[in-house]
Amino acid sequence: MSLNLEQATSLIVERARQLVSQLVEDRGHDGPPFLSEEYARLQGIKRIEKGDLGEVSAILLKLHDGDVIRVNQNHNLARQNFSCAHEIGHVLLSELNLEPCIEEVEFRTFNPQSHAMARARAKERLCDAAAAELLMPEMVYKKYLSGLGLSISLVEWLANIFKVSIRAAAFRIAEVSVEPSIALVWRLQPGTKTKALGLSRRVGPGKEFRGKANYMPVHTLVRHTSTLHKAYQYDGPVKCHKLFRLDAGVKRLPVESKGFGRGETRHVISLAFPDR
Ligand SMILES: [Zn+2]
């Protein structure tokens, strides 16, 4: 059996959803936060250990008496929560025996090494998709979003409630919001004297907005003179417009941005709204 990434994603998310229902039934309510420790217990993982893992976020250890997750104690708790949930994603992936089935069109390459890398990347993306559903179950997250107009200030609020990183909370908004939205992460572009920002990640809008799925900013470099760059320099939210390309056309979309983190981890998160 061969699956593309989309089919594999819906299978693993479906499995994660079952685990969410099991947890909700277990504890008798569906209120956030959803912690990876709770899922680890349900999934029969023996324990979560904290340790110094250097650059690594977490690892899954298959010991003779059961699985153990070791997580990087130097990362903040929100990140640790996601890293552990990602490792639980690996457990679900092998449970479903999905790994041998992942065959994606983008793997069409004659270089076996890049093929293996693309497979590895796809696997990691599947585990991230499982982790997102475990920690921010779509139904519950949607409930928190409903009745509130989308804005960049929601991101921090949701991150606190769901005990996830700002980035993860923003991506999840873009994936599940009823109003289509796109989440963008900007980081300092290395080697630029004037501290230009480069686009490092783009997510959304969700799968029900297929026609809008390919909105890409026309300019993926933000100069220090641009309004969006103020979000990097100061902490307050910043509103501006940016040009996005969709198929053959270009559209000017309203964008809200905010800067997070300090020093090397400083980054800007933007939400863009195709329907406004
Ligand atoms: Zn992984």
Side-chain angles (χ1 to χ4, degrees):
M1 183 177 65
S2 163
L3 297 171
N4 65 31
L5 199 52
E6 199 181 325
Q7 292 165 320
T9 305
S10 49
L11 282 174
I12 196 165
V13 166
E14 191 47 49
R15 179 68 191 95
R17 211 164 268 160
Q18 288 169 1
L19 211 54
V20 173
S21 322
Q22 207 182 329
L23 178 63
V24 166
E25 198 175 315
D26 221 44
R27 42 134 118 139
H29 70 89
D30 69 355
F34 295 82
L35 301 175
S36 46
E37 291 92 71
E38 301 179 276
Y39 292 114
R41 190 172 38 78
L42 275 184
Q43 196 56 34
I45 289 162
K46 284 188 59 185
R47 59 181 180 278
I48 294 175
E49 300 174 348
K50 298 188 186 232
D52 189 350
L53 299 180
E55 297 285 298
V56 174
S57 301
I59 43 173
L60 179 67
L61 300 169
K62 300 260 177 198
L63 303 180
H64 65 280
D65 54 343
D67 293 350
V68 169
I69 292 172
R70 193 169 292 161
V71 65
N72 196 327
Q73 64 189 17
N74 301 326
H75 293 164
N76 65 48
L77 290 175
R79 185 158 171 200
Q80 287 183 29
N81 196 25
F82 198 90
S83 304
C84 290
H86 173 99
E87 296 309 316
I88 294 170
H90 277 288
V91 175
L92 301 182
L93 197 64
S94 55
E95 236 181 42
L96 291 168
N97 203 16
L98 279 180
E99 287 174 53
C101 314
I102 307 162
E103 279 300 336
E104 166 67 336
V105 270
E106 72 192 70
F107 294 171
R108 274 183 307 189
T109 159
F110 294 108
N111 178 344
Q113 203 180 344
S114 66
H115 187 113
M117 274 167 64
R119 278 181 88 96
R121 261 204 310 276
K123 215 167 87 177
E124 295 312 304
R125 270 202 267 166
L126 288 174
C127 296
D128 280 346
E133 178 59 29
L134 290 174
L135 303 185
M136 297 164 280
E138 185 170 349
M139 292 312 290
V140 181
Y141 212 71
K142 273 194 162 138
K143 228 191 294 179
Y144 272 77
L145 286 174
S146 71
L148 299 168
L150 291 188
S151 77
I152 194 69
S153 52
L154 270 183
V155 178
E156 238 169 330
W157 180 69
L158 288 166
N160 280 324
I161 291 174
F162 285 82
K163 303 284 178 242
V164 294
S165 70
I166 302 280
R167 261 168 63 104
F171 293 162
R172 199 58 173 159
I173 290 177
E175 281 167 0
V176 309
S177 63
V178 174
E179 182 195 347
S181 61
I182 303 159
L184 307 153
V185 183
W186 309 89
R187 290 186 187 284
L188 209 57
Q189 186 77 8
T192 53
K193 275 205 194 86
T194 52
K195 298 202 162 187
L197 301 176
L199 181 66
S200 84
R201 182 91 191 263
R202 182 203 68 119
V203 171
K207 51 184 179 298
E208 56 269 46
F209 305 107
R210 244 170 235 288
K212 298 179 173 119
N214 296 319
Y215 268 115
M216 264 307 276
V218 171
H219 306 289
T220 53
L221 209 62
V222 174
R223 311 218 169 268
H224 72 290
T225 46
S226 122
T227 313
L228 199 151
H229 204 285
K230 289 193 170 50
Y232 184 82
Q233 296 158 19
Y234 312 103
D235 280 336
V238 168
K239 290 187 185 188
C240 63
H241 283 80
K242 275 195 81 64
L243 295 176
F244 283 73
R245 199 184 309 278
L246 180 67
D247 304 325
V250 169
K251 198 179 164 190
R252 200 165 157 265
L253 303 184
V255 175
E256 293 187 15
S257 312
K258 200 168 185 300
F260 298 97
R262 287 277 163 270
E264 275 187 8
T265 64
R266 183 76 176 165
H267 60 285
V268 171
I269 306 243
S270 304
L271 286 179
F273 307 103
D275 279 6
R276 289 187 191 174

